[in-house]
Amino acid sequence: MGAGIRPGRRGKGPDPVPLHHWAPRARPRAGQNSTELEVRRLRGALGPRPPALLLAVEDPWARLGSGGATLNALLVAAEHLSARAGCTVVTADVLRDARILILHMGRDFSFDDCGRAFTCLPAEEPGAPAEALVCNLDSLLGTMTHRVCVAWGRGPGGISWEGFQGVRVIAVPGSPEYARNHGVYLADEQGLVRDIIYKGTEARIQQCAGPDGTVPLVCGIVFFSSDAAEQLLATHVIPPLDACTYMGLDSGAPPIQLSLFFDIVLSMAGGMTEEDFVKGGSDASVRSARSVLWTALRGFPLSMACIPDASYDYMTTSASDHIRSLTLLPGSASRLRFCKTAHSHVDQPCLLEDGSSVTNCLLEGAVGLAAGSVIQHCHLQGPLEIGPGCLLSGLDVGSSPALRGCPLRDVVLQGHHVRLRDLPCRVFTLTGRLDDWQSPVEEATYLNVPWPEFFQRTGIREGDLWDAATLRRSRCLLSARLFPVLHAREALGLRDVLWLLAPAVAAGEQLARWRTAWRMSWQELLPCLDTAAELGTRQALFFLQGQRKVRRVLLGRQDSSLLPLARSAVHEGYHEAVLGTLDEVASTAGDAGVAARALACIAEVLGCMARGEGGLLSGPAANREWASAFACLERGDLASGVRELAAERQKWMSRPALLVRAARHYKGAEQILVRQAVMSSCQFVTVGQAELPPLGHWVQVACPARLDLSGGWSDTPPITYEHGGAVVDVAVLVDGCRPIGARVRRIAEPELRLVSLSGTPPSEALTELLCRELEDLQDYCQPHAPGALLKAAFICTQVVQFPSQKPLRVQLMESFGSGFEAHTWSTLPHGSGLGTSSILAGAVMASLYRAAGKAASTESLIHAVLHLEQRLTTGGGWQDQVGGLVPGIKIGRSKAQLPLRVEVEQILVPEGFTQTLNDHLLLVYTGKTRLARNLLQDVVRNWYARLPSIVQNTDALGLGNFSIHSIEVDTGGFSVEVVGCDTKDGAHPGEDGAV
């Protein structure tokens, strides 16, 4: 049951959730409830604008009723808001601009030690920012946020909030048969409530039916305008309503029990008279309270909104109802989607029958579960067979031996954390699915058989369960001392209740042991339940199965995101366990791809631990403290590298700035492994011998730019070898020219001259470098260093061996008898997005190979550029060089495998298509640069996190319809030509010629 108080100015509708202030009305476990709410706030479960104030309010009396609890919670919220506003006394004015949600957490629940609010549902929310169990509380908040509380006007639920005044109740349609045991609203044609009927006659219920035959059921949601909330708050100082609040308790007022619906809301029903309403009170104090409420609230209109296609599930004390609610799919209008296994690791899922449900469990080995049965919060080891109609909850792995060979059918078996003063202990309870807790022994069953039959089968006597002084009508399952708690000489376990299912021949020894144990009834156990311990055990089990999920997803190469789990682990203090599991996977996988993803996940965990502080995760990753670990990874010693990374990580955990820097180094380690994976493409680089061009003769290469029409980013490592890639490219001329080029020639001096031109030769030189020693090449892997691309090209083509014991001059003279001069240029703007850098790398390598007397095919050049960009540490994929080195329109493909191989296929187009395309292409440069390196970091990070959006996009990248935008198609491809030397530059005077 819940009461939503949504103050707003008179005549206006309420604002949408999320709400600013939230005051759950709690059982006497307010501290633990407050902790659970805070965890939900941290993981974003309370909306993008979480409440400014979270309160867990304990009822001042044991049986206060929903109405008294609402008034007390409203008072506590108003008191806190008044203090925040600087007031010295409680003032109702603070409600004027406040938005408050009061949630009633419900009474104790026989089938969940944490109560109805924290009863878990067999559901997962893949889109949630943090992974967590879904409880009734979360479901209700989701329903309120997405279905009921909407902005001005009419929302998805069909509720109009415009002009809202007074109080509004929310109803759901139900059948008249269901309504016989519940409450229904009697409303007029304008939607104003005339009466609230509880367990009415068939004729009375039929009066409430609509045209479709359904009746509006009371579902527990009520909205108060600010005026109505102020008037309700004002009654807390008027006797006897003051007894509903903690202030009344502290003032010595006698307790009073009030209903939210039948004592507070009913006072505003249009069909009620003051005399009938007041006389309806159960005793004099309630009648007096009703009189006060009539005076305070009668002037407010009570309207009703019925949500079409909605459903309402009342959580009864029936085990059959509870099991049914956890195994039947919710209605189509529900935002939740139930699943057979939710947040669970199951070794053999094929043994779970359809219609069963497993939530927050670890089921190892062969564990069979029949249809219509539920397992929650259990760690079990097979072989086990659970029959139909069962509910198992709270059983640890030590319970498994006792369950083997024990026939379970139509039973509820639960493990409980109990605290007897300062003594924690475990207690197991066993009941039947058909048992009624409160029916007297003469009319009821235990373990689904009449009590006399149970007594005869087990040898237990009535006197063992109830004292002689216990009245016959009070002898029921709720008060039966059935469940062993402590034993003077032996440890107790699950067998001490399972024997109750056994025939008499096997019960003799167990009966004696049972009789000598100190036993308690469920009624006596309830106040001793240790909710904090139970929630802690569920949390530990959740992250234990979460660690199994980490292994399963990474080793199975599944496209599931682990980022929500990482966020939850950080929020709830389980990050060390998750980090340890990731270390284990990375070091033992034996696969560089799996290890790289594991290291990327560690970086994400460290980033989450920084909680948005400490800077960006992208940044430098070459601190000397990490060099030893990086060296292990570079030489292929994965296990040692991961161990050293983990040891170094421990020194960087103290504050956000260090965590972010550590995360950057884990990304650096990940890039080492990605680089090694991409390097596998080197085996597809085949270099032959060619005639060495004469000294001083230029080898010049000119390349087109490229446009990618479909599949962009699918060529990017690691996506390209983990998922596979397919990109449609077109080579294009810009202003009728190939805008990207390079030229190389041999020179007499044994040195390297590296020149960047401002345009096509003979344009002015922008930068010039002279390399005479190998040390001059050592910054080749720093992309922003001058001449880094050219330096890397000399190394990757093996024109220069680096590192080497031989000096640069010696290498050049021994292999070529000369040095080299290399020029590069591009007439495209920097960061144009037309593939300049990779195409330029292809042009440099093509000219350098030829100038060095070598020959490489286009396919070899495509893979050689992949190698170069990894050595250069810019990363990058293969689509740019495919687009610029292969003419026309083509498709490049790579399979989801290593070694990485790119295959290119020309796309044949109809005659005249190319000219038509040229006539409709136009390049417009906006002046805004787009650096691929920056974009690449985000793409790779999102891919390793397997964010649903990028997985969906990657899956959708295909060869469907696409449009071609811009420029002119180049059908000739890149050109390589050897031309005579320029006599003006003095490269080698006296030798001018052409080849």
Side-chain angles (χ1 to χ4, degrees):
M1 181 179 293
I5 300 180
R6 299 294 307 285
R9 290 182 176 83
R10 187 188 303 272
K12 292 186 177 181
D15 293 334
V17 291
L19 306 172
H20 282 178
H21 313 291
W22 196 22
R25 169 247 173 162
R27 302 187 298 161
R29 299 183 178 94
Q32 192 59 42
N33 288 336
S34 182
T35 301
E36 287 297 304
L37 298 180
E38 180 61 21
V39 167
R40 280 163 172 76
R41 185 188 68 79
L42 286 173
R43 68 183 184 221
L46 302 184
R49 292 182 297 146
L53 185 61
L54 284 173
L55 301 171
V57 183
E58 189 172 335
D59 291 350
W61 310 104
R63 299 186 64 81
L64 185 61
S66 57
T70 299
L71 181 57
N72 182 63
L74 180 60
L75 170 62
V76 173
E79 186 176 9
H80 280 76
L81 294 175
S82 297
R84 285 192 167 203
C87 304
T88 57
V89 296
V90 177
T91 172
D93 293 343
V94 296
L95 300 182
R96 179 62 56 178
D97 296 319
R99 297 194 294 276
I100 302 173
L101 175 66
I102 297 177
L103 285 176
H104 293 253
M105 309 299 274
R107 301 187 185 94
D108 293 307
F109 189 45
S110 305
F111 309 113
D112 197 295
D113 292 357
C114 300
R116 289 173 169 85
F118 295 110
T119 297
C120 289
L121 303 175
E124 295 183 358
E125 296 184 289
E131 188 169 329
L133 299 174
V134 180
C135 302
N136 277 318
L137 172 65
D138 306 301
S139 174
L140 178 58
L141 286 173
T143 299
M144 294 287 288
T145 302
H146 303 290
R147 299 285 177 169
V148 179
C149 305
V150 292
W152 314 92
R154 190 172 299 274
I159 302 174
S160 175
W161 291 103
E162 188 147 1
F164 167 59
Q165 297 181 43
V167 175
R168 174 166 294 173
V169 294
I170 305 299
V172 298
S175 67
E177 293 75 21
Y178 185 82
R180 291 174 186 171
N181 294 313
H182 299 279
V184 292
Y185 294 113
L186 176 63
D188 61 20
E189 294 180 355
Q190 286 73 41
L192 296 176
V193 177
R194 303 285 300 165
D195 198 357
I196 305 176
I197 301 167
Y198 181 65
K199 292 187 177 181
T201 63
E202 184 176 350
R204 190 82 170 110
I205 292 173
Q206 201 60 43
Q207 288 181 308
C208 306
D212 60 354
T214 63
V215 295
L217 296 173
V218 177
C219 69
I221 302 176
V222 186
F223 288 83
F224 286 71
S225 67
S226 59
D227 292 336
E230 288 179 30
Q231 285 298 314
L232 178 61
L233 178 63
T235 65
H236 86 275
V237 297
I238 304 175
L241 289 171
D242 60 341
C244 295
T245 69
Y246 82 94
M247 289 184 175
L249 173 66
D250 293 346
S251 302
I256 184 174
Q257 183 176 6
L258 291 178
S259 164
L260 172 62
F261 289 93
F262 297 105
D263 291 315
I264 295 179
V265 174
L266 188 61
S267 67
M268 294 170 277
M272 295 299 299
T273 65
E274 181 176 7
E275 181 179 2
D276 290 341
F277 176 69
V278 173
K279 284 182 178 179
S282 57
D283 55 39
S285 62
V286 175
R287 287 192 287 273
S288 177
R290 283 189 164 206
S291 180
V292 174
L293 291 168
W294 180 274
T295 302
L297 302 176
R298 182 60 185 176
F300 293 104
L302 177 62
S303 58
M304 180 196 74
C306 190
I307 306 176
D309 301 322
S311 61
Y312 174 60
D313 185 17
Y314 184 79
M315 299 181 70
T316 70
T317 58
S318 164
S320 295
D321 290 347
H322 184 57
I323 292 172
R324 187 182 305 112
S325 70
L326 296 177
T327 52
L328 290 180
L329 296 178
S332 58
S334 173
R335 56 182 291 272
L336 289 177
R337 291 293 176 264
F338 281 13
C339 45
K340 187 188 298 184
T341 55
H343 300 294
S344 297
H345 174 83
V346 181
D347 278 351
Q348 299 186 34
C350 60
L351 299 181
L352 308 181
E353 294 184 8
D354 291 340
S356 63
S357 167
V358 177
T359 305
N360 193 36
C361 289
L362 199 58
L363 304 184
E364 300 172 323
V367 178
L369 186 63
S373 285
V374 175
I375 305 180
Q376 292 193 328
H377 317 300
C378 291
H379 183 181
L380 301 176
Q381 290 180 338
L384 294 175
E385 194 66 39
I386 312 300
C390 293
L391 169 64
L392 274 62
S393 178
L395 305 181
D396 57 23
V397 68
S399 304
S400 300
L403 289 171
R404 291 186 188 122
C406 182
L408 295 182
R409 185 186 184 95
D410 293 325
V411 295
V412 177
L413 182 58
Q414 297 171 277
H416 310 274
H417 288 274
V418 173
R419 181 169 289 274
L420 306 172
R421 294 189 179 178
D422 295 328
L423 178 64
C425 57
R426 289 279 285 162
V427 176
F428 297 95
T429 59
L430 177 67
T431 57
R433 179 176 64 84
L434 304 177
D435 297 342
D436 185 278
W437 285 97
Q438 297 186 9
S439 296
V441 66
E442 291 83 1
E443 305 169 9
T445 62
Y446 177 57
L447 296 178
N448 308 311
V449 299
W451 279 99
E453 182 179 333
F454 169 75
F455 291 145
Q456 182 180 10
R457 185 182 68 194
T458 60
I460 293 175
R461 300 185 294 267
E462 276 197 53
D464 294 325
L465 304 179
W466 298 283
D467 296 333
T470 304
L471 298 175
R472 296 295 301 177
R473 64 176 178 272
S474 299
R475 297 188 179 191
C476 60
L477 177 56
L478 190 64
S479 61
R481 293 192 181 97
L482 277 162
F483 311 118
V485 178
L486 294 173
H487 196 281
R489 298 183 303 275
E490 302 175 69
L492 298 174
L494 188 58
R495 284 191 174 91
D496 293 289
V497 294
L498 287 177
W499 76 274
L500 299 174
L501 293 167
V505 293
E509 182 181 342
Q510 286 289 347
L511 175 60
R513 177 182 165 95
W514 179 85
R515 281 201 169 119
T516 55
W518 181 42
R519 290 168 280 108
M520 296 176 71
S521 67
W522 180 242
Q523 192 172 46
E524 293 167 331
L525 282 171
L526 273 174
C528 303
L529 295 176
D530 191 341
T531 306
E534 176 61 29
L535 287 170
T537 300
R538 293 181 184 184
Q539 182 187 57
L541 183 58
F542 173 80
F543 286 106
L544 183 60
Q545 66 83 25
Q547 290 170 256
R548 297 293 184 92
K549 176 181 178 178
V550 168
R551 296 187 186 96
R552 184 173 68 249
V553 168
L554 294 180
L555 296 175
R557 297 171 177 81
Q558 298 177 8
D559 288 338
S560 299
S561 178
L562 296 175
L563 184 56
L565 180 63
R567 292 192 183 111
S568 288
V570 170
H571 295 326
E572 302 183 42
Y574 278 81
H575 51 274
E576 287 291 353
V578 173
L579 286 172
T581 301
L582 291 169
D583 287 335
E584 176 197 339
V585 171
S587 61
T588 61
D591 182 287
V594 172
R597 186 179 175 189
L599 296 182
C601 289
I602 292 176
E604 293 295 346
V605 174
L606 296 175
C608 291
M609 292 174 65
R611 300 183 186 275
E613 301 178 8
L616 299 174
L617 293 187
S618 57
N623 189 289
R624 294 179 181 177
E625 300 296 324
W626 299 82
S628 176
F630 282 12
C632 291
L633 298 178
E634 291 283 11
R635 64 174 179 262
D637 189 353
L638 195 56
S640 297
V642 172
R643 280 197 302 271
E644 291 202 28
L645 286 170
E648 185 62 31
R649 181 179 72 217
Q650 294 304 315
K651 307 172 187 176
W652 298 66
M653 305 279 277
S654 59
R655 61 181 188 272
L658 292 179
L659 286 165
V660 168
R661 291 167 64 191
R664 291 171 182 170
H665 283 81
Y666 265 94
K667 288 188 170 296
E670 157 218 314
Q671 285 304 311
I672 292 174
L673 300 183
V674 171
R675 182 165 67 250
Q676 292 174 347
V678 176
M679 293 289 206
S680 65
S681 63
C682 288
Q683 61 186 273
F684 304 113
V685 178
T686 303
V687 180
Q689 293 298 316
E691 182 182 356
L692 191 68
L695 208 64
H697 286 234
W698 289 106
V699 176
Q700 182 167 307
V701 175
C703 296
R706 71 98 184 95
L707 296 176
D708 62 312
L709 307 181
S710 174
W713 294 114
S714 71
D715 67 305
T716 305
I719 299 174
T720 190
Y721 60 77
E722 290 184 353
H723 181 276
V727 183
V728 174
D729 271 326
V730 56
V732 295
L733 304 176
V734 178
D735 294 329
C737 300
R738 296 185 179 114
I740 303 165
R743 64 177 184 172
V744 179
R745 66 177 176 177
R746 295 169 57 224
I747 57 178
E749 294 78 5
E751 61 190 21
L752 303 180
R753 299 177 190 172
L754 312 180
V755 181
S756 175
L757 302 178
S758 60
T760 55
S763 300
E764 177 185 358
L766 295 177
T767 61
E768 294 187 48
L769 291 174
L770 188 61
C771 300
R772 291 194 171 103
E773 306 293 338
L774 282 178
E775 288 74 13
D776 297 332
L777 301 178
Q778 64 184 0
D779 59 353
Y780 77 93
C781 57
Q782 300 176 25
H784 298 295
L789 173 62
L790 286 168
K791 293 175 184 179
F794 275 97
I795 293 171
C796 291
T797 56
Q798 297 184 352
V799 171
V800 175
Q801 301 296 323
F802 183 91
S804 173
Q805 298 298 319
K806 288 185 179 181
L808 177 62
R809 299 171 63 88
V810 173
Q811 289 189 44
L812 291 174
M813 293 306 295
E814 286 184 353
S815 299
F816 306 102
S818 66
F820 289 91
E821 180 176 354
H823 294 182
T824 60
W825 64 88
S826 171
T827 60
L828 297 174
H830 182 58
S832 65
L834 295 175
T836 306
S837 58
S838 297
I839 298 173
L840 183 59
V844 169
M845 298 190 82
S847 59
L848 190 52
Y849 273 131
R850 185 67 185 86
K854 301 178 181 181
S857 65
T858 301
E859 180 186 8
S860 293
L861 284 174
I862 290 170
H863 293 91
V865 172
L866 271 173
H867 175 214
L868 181 145
E869 290 190 325
Q870 293 303 317
R871 296 291 295 270
L872 191 61
T873 71
T874 55
W878 45 256
Q879 68 147 315
D880 293 344
Q881 58 263 39
V882 168
L885 299 180
V886 179
I889 305 173
K890 60 273 177 182
I891 177 172
R893 295 187 179 92
S894 63
K895 296 179 181 179
Q897 65 184 35
L898 290 175
L900 173 59
R901 182 169 190 174
V902 183
E903 298 175 317
V904 183
E905 177 187 350
Q906 292 281 162
I907 296 179
L908 300 178
V909 296
E911 184 178 355
F913 176 82
T914 300
Q915 186 58 49
T916 302
L917 198 58
N918 289 337
D919 294 340
H920 292 80
L921 295 178
L922 179 68
L923 173 63
V924 178
Y925 179 56
T926 64
K928 184 175 181 180
T929 63
R930 188 191 72 158
L931 299 180
R933 179 180 174 86
N934 298 338
L935 295 172
L936 178 65
Q937 291 176 344
D938 287 338
V939 170
V940 172
R941 179 184 176 187
N942 293 340
W943 171 253
Y944 269 136
R946 291 304 196 275
L947 298 184
S949 57
I950 194 170
V951 173
Q952 292 166 7
N953 286 343
T954 306
D955 288 339
L957 290 176
L959 305 179
N961 296 328
F962 55 84
S963 59
I964 302 175
H965 304 277
S966 280
I967 352 166
E968 179 182 348
V969 178
D970 178 16
T971 58
F974 76 101
S975 62
V976 180
E977 57 181 332
V978 180
V979 298
C981 64
D982 188 345
T983 57
K984 297 179 181 179
D985 59 23
H988 192 77
E991 291 192 19
D992 189 11
V995 178

